[in-house]
Amino acid sequence: MLTLSLQVLAFVLAQLGLIAWTRRLTGLDVAFVPALVFSGQGLVVFAGGLLGLLPQAAWGVVILGLVLLVHEAWRAPDLVLGLLTEPAILLLAGAAAVGAWYLHGLLFTSYDNFSHWAVVVQVMLTEGRFPTADDPVIVFQAYPLGSASFVYLFGRVISPAEPVLMLAQQLLGFSYVLALLAATPRRRLVGVVAIIVSFLVTTTYEIFVNSLLVDTLLGLMSGYLMILLWGNRDRLPSLLLPIATVLAFLAVTKNSGLFTVVVATVAVPVLIRLSMPARTSRPDAPGSHRSGRGFTWWMLPALLAPWAVLLWWNRHVATTFPEGLDSKHSMSAGRLGDVLGEKSVADVKVITRSFATELLGDRASVVLLVALVVAVVLLRWSGLVRRAEAVWLLGGGVLTYGLYVVGILGMFLLSMPLSEALRLAGFHRYLSTAHLAWLIVTLWLLLVVVDQAGKAAQQALAAVTGAGTLLVMSSLGSGDLLPRPDVSGSARVKVDAALAAADPVPPGDTVCVVLGERDSGFRRYIVRYALLSPNVKEVVISPEQQPEPPQECAHFLVLDEFPAIDAWLAEQDITAPGPTPYLVSSSR
């Protein structure tokens, strides 16, 4: 317990040091800084994994943070102590405390955690490296490990317990929402309330809070990046390194994050150009570091950084996994061609029609569009933006959303297998990424009006629009924070109980999960996760279907009572050791 307490203390102090140093270096409002610091740490650990120095990178981040804390405290102790009373830091600390309490005792229970997102972190923690060809339990080999690297940092430095990993994910998401506080420098209490309510609303868009899936995270990251650019548009040239950090981390969190990377790459020079007339000095004046025409060349390293990091990752995949770039859901040309080739013209038409039907029935998009229009009108009415900025805000928001939707359709046609594409697997989860990004940006704009507009009517309209948007969006979410997820009767708990009651499964042995009905491989993936082994098969037994047991089955795992299963096991001369769930060895 003492060791754990010291590790937590060291980690927290390291975060304080990194935040203090980054704030001084960038001059950003402190509400922007935690997300930037978290993204940077995730990127450093990710780079360490690519270099074969994963544990060293994690501990190096902590040591660096402690050194910076000492440096900042020696340089300006009052500023460091002042951080402890900043509303943004207090909110972050409160979120950590409440999150730790809420997530205590929870387990991963959802399918995608066992097929990739949680299992890849467990391999990293167990092996102390990124997965390789020696880890066949990893199926989605081309999925980048950006957010997994940040979660690994918590697991390595604090504890590998699953609630700690969940807490890392939730704090990362919260840090992106926290940036909304920078929109209300005059009315901090309004910003505090907005952040708490907004984050609670965003959690309803999680399939499960006890999860490491990144679709919600991507939306929050994208929204954060957009408000970082817009809120600091008059000083973007001095923020290219922070922008590059967030862009690179976004690019290696999930391939779909590349859409936001492209949008931001276009937005940076556009916003710099829009901000030029507001400057008192001529764009080509000495010391301005840019000219009216040539202001882009020196931005290229920052804007190309995410592509360089992604290229590094793809090279790692190609050299580490013989067929990694052709694995499921990878974005290689060969893989995309194969997936499209399995779809007939009739299949494409069916997928497109189903997609259009689902999209036209999406109420969240309508709500957010209305809120965005109201926000831009209020900004223009209150004189907080110029006409050109208002046009770019509204036009850019609608255009990027439309392009993202087209991108989702392209994913179903080009990247997703036919069976999944026909049922639009994950459609609402993918669309919610855009909803959340749009929500964060719209709330920022409305909060600016509440904080800075000169007329009470403008402020009231912005407040009502923001509150109404959050209320409607919360009603459209698919999850609830309360009551807490009850995992006691889950398949995951049954698997853990069966394995704990039996002798350890020798490495290389095959475990066969005996089921009374098919479950799309769900329980098989749970066992793969629990054992970190690919040697798991499933056998489905019913009164009508009683197949021969696979020859390689060394152990049988039974989770639920089915008379047909009992009879089938008896035919194999296997006696159940007790009530389900149980693991029993083969009689052969």
Side-chain angles (χ1 to χ4, degrees):
M1 178 62 74
L2 178 60
T3 301
L4 177 60
S5 299
L6 291 175
Q7 290 174 206
V8 172
L9 178 61
F11 188 79
V12 171
L13 292 176
Q15 301 310 305
L16 185 63
L18 289 166
I19 290 172
W21 178 77
T22 303
R23 183 193 189 187
R24 178 177 62 81
L25 198 68
T26 63
L28 286 167
D29 187 296
V30 69
F32 280 114
V33 177
L36 178 58
V37 166
F38 286 174
S39 300
Q41 289 176 90
L43 199 58
V44 168
V45 176
F46 177 82
L50 292 177
L51 293 171
L53 300 171
L54 190 61
Q56 294 90 334
W59 285 108
V61 163
V62 176
I63 293 172
L64 176 62
L66 293 174
V67 170
L68 289 175
L69 178 61
V70 173
H71 175 267
E72 294 299 311
W74 173 80
R75 188 178 184 277
D78 291 343
L79 293 180
V80 175
L81 291 175
L83 273 180
L84 300 178
T85 59
E86 283 280 353
I89 302 303
L90 294 175
L91 278 170
L92 185 63
V98 173
W101 166 78
Y102 181 88
L103 295 169
H104 179 70
L106 293 185
L107 299 170
F108 296 124
T109 57
S110 61
Y111 194 119
D112 286 4
N113 284 295
F114 303 128
S115 64
H116 179 74
W117 297 107
V119 72
V120 74
V121 174
Q122 290 297 345
V123 169
M124 291 163 64
L125 288 168
T126 301
E127 303 296 335
R129 55 167 172 75
F130 275 0
T132 67
D134 295 329
D135 304 303
V137 71
I138 304 299
V139 177
F140 302 98
Q141 300 162 345
Y143 273 18
L145 302 177
S147 63
S149 296
F150 180 77
V151 172
Y152 168 86
L153 172 64
F154 272 64
R156 174 56 60 199
V157 175
I158 298 177
S159 167
E162 291 183 13
V164 174
L165 308 183
M166 300 171 199
L167 179 63
Q169 183 91 340
Q170 295 303 320
L171 282 180
L172 183 58
F174 182 81
S175 72
Y176 296 121
V177 179
L178 184 63
L180 289 174
L181 190 61
T184 58
R186 302 174 185 175
R187 295 176 171 83
R188 285 300 198 191
L189 182 59
V190 173
V192 168
V193 173
I195 286 167
I196 294 173
V197 176
S198 298
F199 183 69
L200 292 176
V201 170
T202 63
T203 59
T204 67
Y205 282 79
E206 294 270 14
I207 294 181
F208 296 99
V209 175
N210 51 327
S211 170
L212 298 184
L213 276 68
V214 300
D215 302 281
T216 296
L217 191 61
L218 279 178
L220 300 180
M221 293 172 72
S222 299
Y224 169 83
L225 181 58
M226 291 299 105
I227 63 176
L228 175 66
L229 298 181
W230 180 260
N232 299 278
R233 61 192 180 280
D234 289 334
R235 54 183 298 253
L236 287 181
S238 66
L239 295 177
L240 289 179
L241 182 57
I243 292 169
T245 299
V246 180
L247 283 172
F249 188 57
L250 181 59
V252 295
T253 292
K254 195 176 183 182
N255 289 327
S256 53
L258 291 176
F259 177 83
T260 304
V261 171
V262 173
V263 172
T265 302
V266 174
V268 168
V270 168
L271 289 174
I272 291 178
R273 173 68 73 176
L274 284 174
S275 70
M276 281 182 176
R279 293 179 175 269
T280 56
S281 61
R282 293 183 298 110
D284 55 351
S288 66
H289 304 288
R290 56 185 171 86
S291 68
R293 293 179 181 178
F295 66 92
T296 56
W297 68 268
W298 55 274
M299 294 190 294
L300 289 179
L303 298 181
L304 292 177
W307 304 100
V309 175
L310 187 63
L311 181 64
W312 189 13
W313 166 253
N314 286 335
R315 181 176 178 82
H316 167 81
V317 173
T319 57
T320 304
F321 300 101
E323 298 180 356
L325 292 179
D326 291 321
S327 60
K328 189 175 181 181
H329 293 318
S330 69
M331 301 298 289
S332 68
R335 173 68 185 175
L336 295 179
D338 291 342
V339 172
L340 180 61
E342 73 173 347
K343 299 180 177 73
S344 66
V345 174
D347 292 330
V348 171
K349 290 181 178 179
V350 170
I351 294 169
T352 305
R353 280 197 299 267
S354 300
F355 185 90
T357 300
E358 289 290 336
L359 187 62
L360 291 173
D362 179 55
R363 291 179 291 169
S365 296
V366 177
V367 172
L368 290 168
L369 175 60
V370 172
L372 178 63
V373 171
V374 172
V376 173
V377 169
L378 289 174
L379 284 167
R380 186 72 185 120
W381 177 24
S382 58
L384 295 174
V385 297
R386 290 174 287 120
R387 181 177 179 181
E389 292 175 325
V391 170
W392 274 102
L393 267 178
L394 188 56
V398 173
L399 179 61
T400 53
Y401 183 77
L403 291 175
Y404 180 80
V405 168
V406 172
I408 297 178
L409 176 60
M411 179 192 64
F412 282 117
L413 297 177
L414 297 174
S415 177
M416 194 166 284
L418 177 60
S419 61
E420 297 179 22
L422 286 172
R423 56 187 173 88
L424 299 181
F427 170 82
H428 292 287
R429 180 154 51 95
Y430 301 134
L431 192 60
S432 70
T433 296
H435 291 160
L436 293 176
W438 208 352
L439 176 64
I440 294 297
V441 172
T442 303
L443 289 174
W444 168 276
L445 300 176
L446 292 169
L447 286 170
V448 168
V449 175
V450 171
D451 189 71
Q452 299 180 26
K455 297 181 179 180
Q458 297 164 344
Q459 297 173 344
L461 284 172
V464 169
T465 302
T469 301
L470 287 170
L471 180 62
V472 175
M473 292 297 290
S474 67
S475 69
L476 298 177
S478 58
D480 294 299
L481 284 176
L482 297 175
R484 291 173 72 245
D486 182 9
V487 302
S488 59
S490 66
R492 166 66 193 285
V493 169
K494 293 179 181 178
V495 169
D496 288 352
L499 295 177
D503 294 331
V505 175
D509 278 12
T510 297
V511 175
C512 287
V513 185
V514 186
L515 305 172
E517 55 187 4
R518 296 194 179 278
D519 64 354
S520 301
F522 176 50
R523 287 166 176 79
R524 176 168 58 89
Y525 272 108
I526 296 176
V527 180
R528 286 168 59 99
Y529 169 82
L531 298 175
L532 287 183
S533 168
N535 302 318
V536 181
K537 296 184 178 296
E538 65 180 40
V539 182
V540 180
I541 306 298
S542 68
E544 298 78 22
Q545 182 182 12
Q546 298 192 2
E548 288 292 321
Q551 290 295 318
E552 60 268 36
C553 289
H555 312 273
F556 294 97
L557 179 64
V558 182
L559 301 178
D560 299 293
E561 293 286 353
F562 283 98
I565 292 178
D566 295 337
W568 182 81
L569 289 174
E571 290 179 4
Q572 319 306 320
D573 294 327
I574 297 175
T575 302
T580 57
Y582 60 81
L583 179 74
V584 61
S585 298
S586 171
S587 60
R588 290 173 300 185

